[in-house]
Amino acid sequence: TDVWVEIPTDGSQTIKLFGLEDKLSQALSVLFEKANSIKTVDLECPAWLLKFVIGKNGDNIRSLSEKYPKTTINCQSERNLITIDSPGEEFDAAKEEISALVQELINTRSREILKIDHKIHKHLIGKAGANINKIKADTGVNIRIPQDEDNDIEIVGPPEGVAKAKELLLE
């Protein structure tokens, strides 16, 4: 449209258009059309599940971005949200697919935080990780044991595996 658009980078809400007067009205119409065509939704998702939504090496998000190229997906762990910004033609399908993924993860994953004195952690791990690796293999869970003096041990995986791993770690 032979019009230059200046989008603010300082948080301002003012967009400036520069160009010939007869082209500005057309550019303004296009700008309003684009601005009003984007839909936004916030989906609730526990922060600890976001890594599963993103997927190993970002595979899930990359796949969604390829399938819905005009859609922006923003995972916000500090707010327990996934924000989807999408034009109308992709919005419903992208929202539905991401909602289904989150619901599947909620139904198939569980998380438990155990408070176990950090002085005992080395015994839970065992020589060369033998104890903790056996528990992981037997239960199908991921166990995060902090390397510092933190007492919180995180177990994530299938609900039955998390329950069994908890039981084994507390023995």
Side-chain angles (χ1 to χ4, degrees), residues 85-100:
D85 295 312
S86 183
E89 69 267 15
E90 289 184 2
F91 181 78
D92 291 334
K95 177 185 171 193
E96 185 62 37
E97 187 165 344
I98 295 166
S99 295

Side-chain angles (χ1 to χ4, degrees), residues 6 11 20-21 23 31 42 50 53 68 71 91 97-98 128-129 140-141 149 153 157 165 167:
E6 183 180 287
L20 299 174
E21 191 172 330
K23 301 286 185 172
L31 183 66
D42 287 331
L50 288 175
V53 171
Y68 307 107
T71 299
F91 181 78
E97 187 165 344
I98 295 166
V141 301
E149 294 185 6
I153 295 177
E167 178 185 315

Side-chain angles (χ1 to χ4, degrees), residues 92-123:
D92 291 334
K95 177 185 171 193
E96 185 62 37
E97 187 165 344
I98 295 166
S99 295
L101 174 60
V102 170
Q103 193 57 53
E104 177 188 348
L105 289 168
I106 288 170
N107 293 340
T108 61
R109 299 271 181 218
S110 183
R111 177 180 184 236
E112 188 81 43
I113 302 290
L114 303 180
K115 297 225 179 267
I116 298 177
D117 190 323
H118 69 276
K119 295 172 188 160
I120 298 172
H121 290 183
K122 65 182 177 186
H123 303 292

Side-chain angles (χ1 to χ4, degrees), residues 22-129:
D22 61 330
K23 301 286 185 172
L24 286 175
S25 65
Q26 179 188 358
L28 190 57
S29 295
V30 170
L31 183 66
F32 274 116
E33 181 182 317
K34 294 278 186 201
N36 291 324
S37 70
I38 300 295
K39 295 181 180 180
T40 299
V41 67
D42 287 331
L43 303 176
E44 289 186 25
C45 180
W48 65 271
L49 278 178
L50 288 175
K51 66 182 173 186
F52 298 104
V53 171
I54 294 167
K56 188 173 185 175
N57 299 319
D59 288 347
N60 290 346
I61 289 295
R62 188 173 13 272
S63 173
L64 288 164
S65 294
E66 289 168 3
K67 190 171 184 179
Y68 307 107
K70 298 177 184 175
T71 299
T72 302
I73 304 162
N74 184 8
C75 297
Q76 304 172 52
S77 60
E78 66 282 351
R79 295 179 54 212
N80 294 324
L81 288 178
I82 299 170
T83 300
I84 303 168
D85 295 312
S86 183
E89 69 267 15
E90 289 184 2
F91 181 78
D92 291 334
K95 177 185 171 193
E96 185 62 37
E97 187 165 344
I98 295 166
S99 295
L101 174 60
V102 170
Q103 193 57 53
E104 177 188 348
L105 289 168
I106 288 170
N107 293 340
T108 61
R109 299 271 181 218
S110 183
R111 177 180 184 236
E112 188 81 43
I113 302 290
L114 303 180
K115 297 225 179 267
I116 298 177
D117 190 323
H118 69 276
K119 295 172 188 160
I120 298 172
H121 290 183
K122 65 182 177 186
H123 303 292
L124 296 175
I125 295 169
K127 188 172 183 175

